[in-house]
Structures are given as C-alpha cells and as structure tokens.
Amino acid sequence: MALSRRQFIRNVSVAGGALSIGFTLNGCSATQNPIYDAKALQPNAFIRIDEAGQVTVQIHKAEMGQGVITGIITLIAEELEVQPSAVNFEMAPVHSAYDDPEMALQVTGGSASIRVYYDILRQAGASTRATLIRAASQSTGMDETDLYAKNGRVYSHDDSYSASFGELVAAARTITV
C-alpha cells in the first residue's frame, strides 16, 4: 500500500517525536563554582568588577538575534550607573546559578531571557552599586546617603570625595551583599 505524502509526514513526525536521547555532561555539575577571581568584587554570579574598575557581565543566555546580550548589559549598567559601552561581557559557564527560574535549568528560549531576568538583573546591579557605596562610606566615615555612583565612580554630593569602582573593590569584597 502506498502512503500519501500527508500520511508519510504524520508517521515520521510521530516516530521522530517518540525518540528521545538522554545524556549528562561530566564536569558540569551544580557543585562547581562559576568563574572566580579572588582579587575582584563578585557579589553575584552575573557581575565582576576588577581592581582596575572594569565591569564584566556574565551572559547566561544565548544570543539568537534578539539583542539579549545588549539587554542584559544595559539592565545591569543602568543600575550600576555605568555606560553600557564601558561594560565587558563573557559567556557564562554551565552552572546552577544561571538556571532559569521558570524552567529550572540553564536554557534560552520562549522569549524569556529579559522578561524573566528583568528584576533579577536590576537587583544584581543595584545591590552591587549599594555595596560599592557602602564601601566608600566605611572608608570615609561619610553617610551612605551623602554618596552616589556615576560613570564607574562613587562621589559625595558636596564634591569632597570621589573614588573609582576599582579603588573600592578591596573594601567592597569585605562587605556582605
């Protein structure tokens, strides 16, 4: 009996859908740490600021032409009060810290990269900025409300103090975020 084109496509789709392959990647366990630099400020899995003041963002989503890298960098940069063009990025390693909250694994899809991570990334940037301001406050004795961040530096409102993020890294590493 000859199969029609429609029957053939239906049968192949059913057979292909029934085939699934499972495997694990050794060395990619959730117990391993993401990239770690002992001299840098790394208050969370997404942000690293080195002693030169360079901000690097870990991109945990694949870029598929929708501007995910630009979006992630912009969300964090806005909260850190740095220009997005001054931020470097690296592709994040496989690690449970980057698991999608909706799917419980590190995955890109469903147009969820910015929608799901919008608040998470903004909070990561804001808490890092607050940590740097707290470090400046502790080193100067000034109140945190008298300080603000702008363009990769912390300033006092009365213009009596200014320090780069890089200058604050060592002190900021000692602060619990």
Side-chain angles (χ1 to χ4, degrees):
M1 172 172 103
L3 289 176
S4 69
R5 182 171 183 234
R6 178 170 288 158
Q7 290 171 323
F8 174 76
I9 291 173
R10 185 189 70 213
N11 291 347
V12 168
S13 297
V14 169
L19 176 64
S20 63
I21 301 172
F23 63 92
T24 60
L25 296 173
N26 293 329
C28 296
S29 74
T31 59
Q32 293 178 336
N33 290 329
I35 296 170
Y36 180 73
D37 180 350
K39 293 185 178 182
L41 171 63
Q42 294 177 270
N44 53 60
F46 300 100
I47 302 169
R48 181 176 67 244
I49 303 175
D50 66 23
E51 291 178 313
Q54 179 61 60
V55 177
T56 302
V57 172
Q58 296 294 317
I59 303 295
H60 60 292
K61 297 291 188 176
E63 176 61 70
M64 296 185 196
Q66 296 177 321
V68 169
I69 292 174
T70 301
I72 290 170
I73 289 171
T74 301
L75 288 172
I76 290 174
E78 284 180 351
E79 291 298 335
L80 272 176
E81 297 292 343
V82 298
Q83 292 297 317
S85 60
V87 175
N88 286 340
F89 73 90
E90 298 172 349
M91 297 312 290
V94 175
H95 192 273
S96 61
Y98 306 110
D99 283 357
D100 186 292
E102 288 183 346
M103 298 186 193
L105 56 116
Q106 189 172 343
V107 65
T108 301
S111 297
S113 297
I114 300 300
R115 176 182 54 81
V116 170
Y117 276 91
Y118 182 83
D119 289 331
I120 294 167
L121 294 172
R122 292 192 77 89
Q123 289 170 0
S127 65
T128 303
R129 182 189 71 237
T131 301
L132 291 161
I133 289 173
R134 180 164 292 144
S137 170
Q138 289 178 355
S139 65
T140 63
M142 300 176 92
D143 193 78
E144 289 180 38
T145 59
D146 294 330
L147 300 166
Y148 67 97
K150 182 178 179 184
N151 293 326
R153 298 186 71 81
V154 174
Y155 298 95
S156 64
H157 288 291
D158 66 4
D159 295 325
S160 65
Y161 176 78
S162 170
S164 72
F165 284 179
E167 293 169 319
L168 296 168
V169 163
R173 280 196 329 256
T174 66
I175 296 171
T176 301
V177 179

